Amino acid sequence: MPSSRSRTLLRLAPAVAAVVLVPAALSATTSSAAAADTLLSKGKPTATSTIESSAYSGENAVDGDTTTRWASVESSDQQWLRIDLGQPSTVHRVRLNWEAAYAKKYRIEMSDDGTTFKPIATIDNGDGKTDDLPGLNGHGRYLRFVGVQRATSYGYSLWELEAYGTADSTGDTQAPSVPAGLTAGEVTGTSAALKWTPSTDNIGVAGYDILRDGKVVATSETTSYTDTGLTPDTAYTYSVRARDAAGNVSAASAGVPVRTKTGSASGFVLAAAGDIAEQCTASSSSCVHPKTAKLVEQMNPAAVITMGDNQYDDAHLSDFKSYFDKTWGRFKDKIHPIPGNHEGYDSPPNQGYKDYFGKIATPNGKTYYSWEMGNWHFIALDSNEFGPPDDLAANAESAQLTWLKQDLAKNTKGCVAAYFHHPRFSSGDHGDQKTSGQLWKLLVDNKADLVLNGHDHHYERFNPQNADGKADPAGPVEILGGMGGAHLYPIKSAHPTTAKLIGGTYGVLKLSMTDTSFQSQLLGVDGKVLDSSPTYTCH
């Protein structure tokens, strides 16, 4: 690192100020603390108010590499970088290595809960290069830099922020074992599938960081991940490290080289979920649809699919305006919705749904329609129109099935996806929906690739199945994504064809589509990847 130049601390926390009054005590305390201090911040999880771009994310400031940096957005003074130290710790020294865009005024703060912070140092005369702030006595799990005034027209930019001190002796300080067995599976022009063996920990492994070329690109709770959005014919190196609940991080695994295939980089990302907006707002901490909407916002998808029960309980227009519109409504111009049974509880059925979405939901005057993007043909179906299981003959002659046959016959795209509310197969509270049998069979017969459903409030991804629900690589992949915000349902025993079953969690599906394939991930409301599918090739 460049040589440091100490800054004058204009205001310290009361405990530090008290020590300053007794020079002898300060010298003894500082010497003793310095002897036991360790670097607490390296490799720890970070959060930021903003980033200038994805190349300047928060973890760059704690990676120990002085050639990478965190940078906030330009032209904005009030910005912050937060570090989760993993457990309550006492910080005696903070060292900031500035890039050219430095802070003239800033604070260093600490917190026990990551929300309520107290300052431990305030700088009002910063002049760049390196700030070395010794003699501190802050305590908490979270340390935060808060920029108050920029010294340049840019934002704030740190090569490294280092916090030195001691972790509380009662906390968990043992890191998990290094993940082993990292291998690359299927690699396409734009994606790479990874898997590894589980790490061990004295308390338990909480998740894994996936590093691409040394930078964290995702966090997964499982031992697999598919990285998407890659450039064709390009070399990458992947590694994985494990974390426990206390924030202890293992060393990274041995790197695995990957080269993507030659081909087109054309593709797009979709967000999808069903069973979304209960009658609550962000003012309630238990209200979930604002949190899933935030996931969609971060994903910035090309389009959004909703699999029914967009609004609860009876889906009146007033309910849509009061709840759904305030969260998922911000994506209204790119949503392709379908109705669920709750939309049908309005009087007349679907009236609030139709009034709110307008032509978006009924482009042909019907509650079922199709649309296209790239080499994909998407079919939005209304499974409410189908009668009870004992009326299957009448269902087979429905206008919607007739339209579906004609729509499939006219399709010229290479990949087909359909979505409707009631799942043909489900390991959830409602179980298999026989009333969707005709829809499912017709899609199987026409080589559909992907089917999305809601209704049961859990997550379930199936292996490809045939019309009878038996494993068949020629059948579509069904994904049940009813965890968009409504209260969750219990799950039952998994089907033989279930690839992944997750209950008790909320999230949003991220679908990465190319002209010839698709890959899905379930993102939890904490941003973690809870499931990552293989890359499926279109039939």
Side-chain angles (χ1 to χ4, degrees):
M1 283 189 180
S3 61
S4 65
R5 294 188 295 166
S6 296
R7 303 286 181 263
T8 301
L9 295 183
L10 299 187
R11 183 171 72 249
L12 298 178
V16 176
V19 174
V20 172
L21 296 176
V22 187
L26 173 61
S27 176
T29 301
T30 302
S31 176
S32 174
D37 282 351
T38 59
L39 179 57
L40 302 171
S41 52
K42 186 176 179 180
K44 295 299 172 67
T46 62
T48 61
S49 53
T50 63
I51 56 173
E52 182 181 333
S53 74
S54 59
Y56 305 115
S57 55
E59 67 263 16
N60 290 343
V62 294
D63 61 2
D65 184 348
T66 55
T67 65
T68 64
R69 59 189 173 97
W70 165 64
S72 66
V73 295
E74 297 182 7
S75 305
S76 181
D77 281 321
Q78 297 295 324
Q79 302 296 329
W80 53 265
L81 166 70
R82 189 188 75 190
I83 304 170
D84 180 358
L85 301 177
Q87 63 167 312
S89 304
T90 300
V91 171
H92 298 124
R93 175 189 176 199
V94 173
R95 181 180 168 94
L96 302 96
N97 186 356
W98 291 102
E99 194 256 352
Y102 67 95
K104 182 177 181 180
K105 297 182 179 181
Y106 64 92
R107 297 189 304 273
I108 302 298
E109 303 176 334
M110 294 200 72
S111 168
D112 293 322
D113 58 8
T115 301
T116 303
F117 283 83
K118 295 181 180 180
I120 64 170
T122 297
I123 303 301
D124 289 335
N125 61 345
D127 59 3
K129 296 188 178 178
T130 301
D131 289 348
D132 200 349
L133 313 177
L136 307 181
N137 194 28
H139 186 269
R141 172 169 173 165
Y142 300 87
L143 182 139
R144 184 169 72 174
F145 156 83
V146 180
V148 177
Q149 182 180 338
R150 293 167 295 123
T152 72
S153 61
Y154 300 101
Y156 302 102
S157 184
L158 282 164
W159 295 113
E160 285 291 303
L161 191 159
E162 299 171 325
Y164 294 88
T166 56
D168 286 9
S169 59
T170 57
D172 174 21
T173 60
Q174 181 176 325
S177 64
V178 178
L182 177 63
T183 58
E186 182 177 5
V187 177
T188 71
T190 59
S191 67
L194 306 169
K195 63 179 180 178
W196 56 94
T197 57
S199 295
T200 58
D201 184 69
N202 60 317
I203 303 297
V205 176
Y208 300 88
D209 293 337
I210 295 86
L211 294 84
R212 182 204 309 141
D213 296 334
K215 300 300 177 186
V216 176
V217 294
T219 299
S220 175
E221 289 195 345
T222 68
T223 55
S224 65
Y225 175 75
T226 299
D227 196 19
T228 60
L230 305 178
T231 302
D233 194 25
T234 302
Y236 299 95
T237 299
Y238 289 94
S239 57
V240 180
R241 64 191 187 196
R243 293 184 179 276
D244 63 17
N248 299 305
V249 185
S250 75
S253 67
V256 171
V258 168
R259 176 171 285 277
T260 51
K261 294 181 179 179
T262 302
S264 170
S266 63
F268 55 92
V269 169
L270 303 178
D275 309 273
I276 299 170
E278 290 194 324
Q279 295 181 355
C280 61
T281 64
S283 61
S284 170
S285 61
S286 62
C287 191
V288 180
H289 62 95
K291 300 174 185 177
T292 54
K294 185 67 174 178
L295 282 177
V296 177
E297 183 178 41
Q298 294 169 349
M299 206 181 299
N300 191 26
V304 178
I305 289 173
T306 61
M307 289 91 80
D309 282 4
N310 303 271
Q311 178 61 60
Y312 289 81
D313 284 327
D314 295 339
H316 302 307
L317 177 60
S318 59
D319 296 327
F320 271 102
K321 290 181 176 179
S322 296
Y323 307 107
F324 184 93
D325 189 62
K326 297 183 184 302
T327 56
W328 283 65
R330 74 188 69 164
F331 320 114
K332 190 174 179 180
D333 62 342
K334 61 173 72 173
I335 287 179
H336 299 273
I338 54 168
N341 52 288
H342 277 268
E343 278 81 10
Y345 298 158
D346 194 9
S347 182
N350 296 328
Q351 191 61 53
Y353 168 81
K354 293 177 180 178
D355 289 343
Y356 177 74
F357 285 112
K359 288 294 184 181
I360 295 173
T362 56
N364 57 2
K366 305 291 186 182
T367 51
Y368 47 88
Y369 58 96
S370 61
W371 55 283
E372 293 177 340
M373 184 173 285
N375 194 37
W376 280 83
H377 183 70
F378 295 93
I379 308 171
L381 298 169
D382 183 358
S383 55
N384 292 310
E385 289 195 2
F386 292 85
D390 58 359
D391 194 21
L392 297 183
N395 290 338
E397 301 301 322
S398 74
Q400 184 173 183
L401 276 175
T402 299
W403 171 87
L404 178 57
K405 292 175 182 178
Q406 295 170 348
D407 184 81
L408 287 165
K410 292 186 295 183
N411 171 48
T412 60
K413 299 294 183 179
C415 302
V416 176
Y419 54 104
F420 47 92
H421 187 59
H422 300 87
R424 177 62 188 91
F425 304 103
S426 170
S427 303
D429 194 53
H430 291 305
D432 296 351
Q433 300 291 294
K434 294 182 180 179
T435 55
S436 299
Q438 280 72 24
L439 293 176
W440 179 263
K441 184 177 187 307
L442 193 51
L443 293 167
V444 170
D445 291 345
N446 284 270
K447 304 298 182 184
D449 301 288
L450 174 65
V451 175
L452 304 173
N453 303 116
H455 197 46
D456 263 335
H457 300 185
H458 71 279
Y459 170 82
E460 189 166 10
R461 175 171 58 85
F462 290 85
N463 292 312
Q465 305 171 87
N466 62 22
D468 298 322
K470 296 180 180 179
D472 186 343
V477 173
E478 179 191 347
I479 303 178
L480 201 162
M483 62 292 143
H487 66 281
L488 300 171
Y489 292 168
I491 56 175
K492 301 177 181 178
S493 298
H495 281 55
T497 51
T498 297
K500 187 72 173 183
L501 176 63
I502 303 177
T505 191
Y506 295 98
V508 176
L509 282 173
K510 177 183 179 182
L511 301 167
S512 300
M513 327 297 279
T514 74
D515 285 348
T516 58
S517 67
F518 69 96
Q519 190 269 338
S520 70
Q521 292 176 331
L522 171 62
L523 303 185
V525 290
D526 58 358
K528 291 183 178 180
V529 178
L530 305 181
D531 182 40
S532 185
S533 81
T535 298
Y536 296 100
T537 301
C538 296
H539 300 319

